[in-house]
Amino acid sequence: MKTIIAACSQNLSGSRASIQTTLRTLLAAPWPSQRDIRSWLQLLSVLQWVLSFLLLGTISLLLLIYLVFTSFWPISALYLAWIIFDWDTPEKGGRRLPCLRRWPVWRHFRDYFPVKLVKTHDLSPSHNYIIGSHPHGILCVGAFCNFITGSTGFGEMFPGIRPFLTTLAGNFRLPVFREYLMSGGLCPVTRRAIGYLLSKNGTGNAVAIVIGGAAESLSCHPGVTTLILKNRKGFVRMALQHGAHLVPSFSFGENDLFRQVVFEEGSWMRSIQHRFQKMMGFAPCIFYGRGLTSVRSWGFLPYARPITTVVGEPVVVPKIEDPSCEMVDTYHEMYVRSLLKLFNENKTKYGLSEADELHIL
């Protein structure tokens, strides 16, 4: 018995010594600095955003389909009934939640790049506006951060103005994802949805439209500033029909966030991208960014490159219910000139050289 007690005492002493050694090792190890913690939070905020936009809709749809074949099928049935009841809400201004726009995670999202909003002229709350957002880039980071999250101070810079951002109407057919989009102030890029915001939602509405759309994303890569705009005139016609002023905006650095495999015009891969775009509304891009563990690894996260969104001077537009083609062309030319002026006056301030030009196709 004495032998057993002595052995146990020796083991306990050894255990205490091991625990003490481990604690000393932990205390001696360098703790993460505040800078490291901020970097991790910024990386995680960007990760959740990318995963939400790329996977939330698909995963939610597959999950609801799976639940149909389980004892939890009433969940899918109830949500389907809700979508049918709520079908037109995205076309009628959506269901924005101010608390989501103030979500603290968006500050970390902003600081990862970082994203900055620059105001050049006031916007009066007594008018409505269509903000042209350029360029599209791969995931429209600048447009989302500035017009949806509110983390860059849009509300403080433009008091009385409610920003909305348009996206593909098909996104609002995906379960759960549609709620996520509407809560931030996104709406379908359709005539009905935009018309509702510009005519039946009072004044002080600013609808941001990424004019170049999916076609522009195909030519997105660092060092290239090419916009698809020359034949995009529908937003001008809508501005005239509702008397909404046109406001150009340009996000410097948007095209530097990812690397894309760009296929030449006329190649079979390019033709597949164009056909897919016509059928589905978006273009399948082959792109890559940084990985989760290292900047030097490959992954789907954007590189940390500064984005500066400059909001330009409004082009005053009269209200004409049935504008002629000549009238549309006139105001389209005025908008293009205003955009070119905005680009040329600010390009050297935000990473471009004096020789860089804005190409409009």
Side-chain angles (χ1 to χ4, degrees):
M1 178 64 71
K2 292 181 179 179
T3 304
I4 294 173
I5 294 173
C8 290
S9 300
Q10 187 176 0
N11 287 338
L12 289 173
S13 299
S15 299
R16 284 195 295 269
S18 299
I19 292 172
Q20 290 174 354
T21 302
T22 303
L23 288 174
R24 290 194 194 99
T25 303
L26 288 173
L27 292 173
W31 287 82
S33 64
Q34 289 185 353
R35 182 178 179 181
D36 292 333
I37 294 174
R38 283 197 301 269
S39 297
W40 295 341
L41 289 174
Q42 291 168 10
L43 192 62
L44 289 174
S45 68
V46 174
L47 175 63
Q48 67 82 25
W49 178 78
V50 171
L51 291 178
S52 296
F53 267 81
L54 295 182
L55 300 177
L56 180 59
T58 303
I59 291 176
S60 300
L61 178 61
L62 293 176
L63 178 60
L64 288 174
I65 293 174
Y66 168 75
L67 292 178
V68 170
F69 302 97
T70 69
S71 58
F72 297 99
W73 64 266
I75 296 177
S76 298
L78 287 172
Y79 191 79
L80 177 60
W82 164 252
I83 287 184
I84 294 173
F85 173 78
D86 196 55
W87 189 261
D88 288 335
T89 299
E91 303 277 353
K92 297 180 179 179
R95 190 169 41 248
R96 61 194 298 153
L97 298 176
C99 60
L100 186 138
R101 291 173 57 85
R102 295 192 299 266
W103 200 17
V105 72
W106 300 130
R107 294 198 297 269
H108 300 299
F109 180 87
R110 172 200 64 195
D111 295 337
Y112 171 83
F113 298 96
V115 181
K116 181 182 179 183
L117 180 66
V118 176
K119 168 186 173 180
T120 61
H121 292 79
D122 291 329
L123 299 182
S124 172
S126 61
H127 298 288
N128 286 325
Y129 302 89
I130 290 181
I131 300 178
S133 180
H134 311 275
H136 183 284
I138 296 293
L139 294 178
C140 303
V141 172
F144 178 86
C145 190
N146 287 298
F147 303 129
I148 294 302
T149 70
S151 61
T152 55
F154 185 95
E156 291 73 25
M157 291 185 189
F158 303 100
I161 303 297
R162 295 181 298 274
F164 297 85
L165 179 63
T166 58
T167 185
L168 293 174
N171 289 329
F172 295 90
R173 305 297 179 246
L174 294 173
V176 181
F177 189 46
R178 69 191 294 274
E179 322 299 339
Y180 177 77
L181 294 177
M182 285 192 292
S183 63
L186 283 101
C187 62
V189 60
T190 61
R191 290 184 178 276
R192 182 184 176 191
I194 297 172
Y196 180 91
L197 293 172
L198 297 178
S199 63
K200 299 181 180 180
N201 200 43
T203 59
N205 301 292
V207 183
I209 304 175
V210 186
I211 308 297
E216 195 171 275
S217 66
L218 295 177
S219 59
C220 164
H221 54 96
V224 176
T225 48
T226 301
L227 304 182
I228 307 297
L229 179 59
K230 188 175 294 184
N231 295 319
R232 300 290 176 97
K233 300 179 181 181
F235 72 103
V236 178
R237 182 175 294 277
M238 289 209 67
L240 286 164
Q241 290 173 339
H242 299 282
H245 297 178
L246 292 168
V247 182
S249 72
F250 194 93
S251 293
F252 294 90
E254 182 73 45
N255 286 348
D256 298 331
L257 304 182
F258 294 96
R259 302 290 184 269
Q260 182 181 182
V261 179
V262 179
F263 301 100
E264 295 182 0
E265 288 292 344
S267 64
W268 65 275
M269 278 298 296
R270 191 71 163 190
S271 63
I272 290 176
Q273 287 178 315
H274 285 309
R275 290 175 184 173
F276 195 92
Q277 175 199 332
K278 290 180 180 178
M279 290 188 297
M280 303 299 294
F282 65 94
C285 302
I286 301 177
F287 65 91
Y288 64 91
R290 59 158 292 180
L292 183 61
T293 57
S294 171
V295 177
R296 290 178 290 274
S297 61
W298 284 17
F300 54 87
L301 295 178
Y303 293 106
R305 302 286 187 270
I307 304 173
T308 304
T309 301
V310 184
V311 180
E313 181 179 5
V315 176
V316 178
V317 176
K319 184 175 181 179
I320 304 174
E321 293 185 2
D322 188 19
S324 64
C325 293
E326 292 77 13
M327 184 68 70
V328 172
D329 290 341
T330 297
Y331 280 93
H332 184 270
E333 291 174 5
M334 292 172 62
Y335 176 83
V336 172
R337 286 198 300 268
S338 182
L339 176 62
L340 288 170
K341 178 184 177 183
L342 174 70
F343 177 83
N344 291 324
E345 289 180 349
N346 292 278
K347 61 183 179 182
T348 57
K349 300 177 184 177
Y350 305 114
L352 300 179
S353 67
E354 189 64 42
D356 286 318
E357 296 182 355
L358 186 62
H359 304 282
I360 297 178
L361 303 179

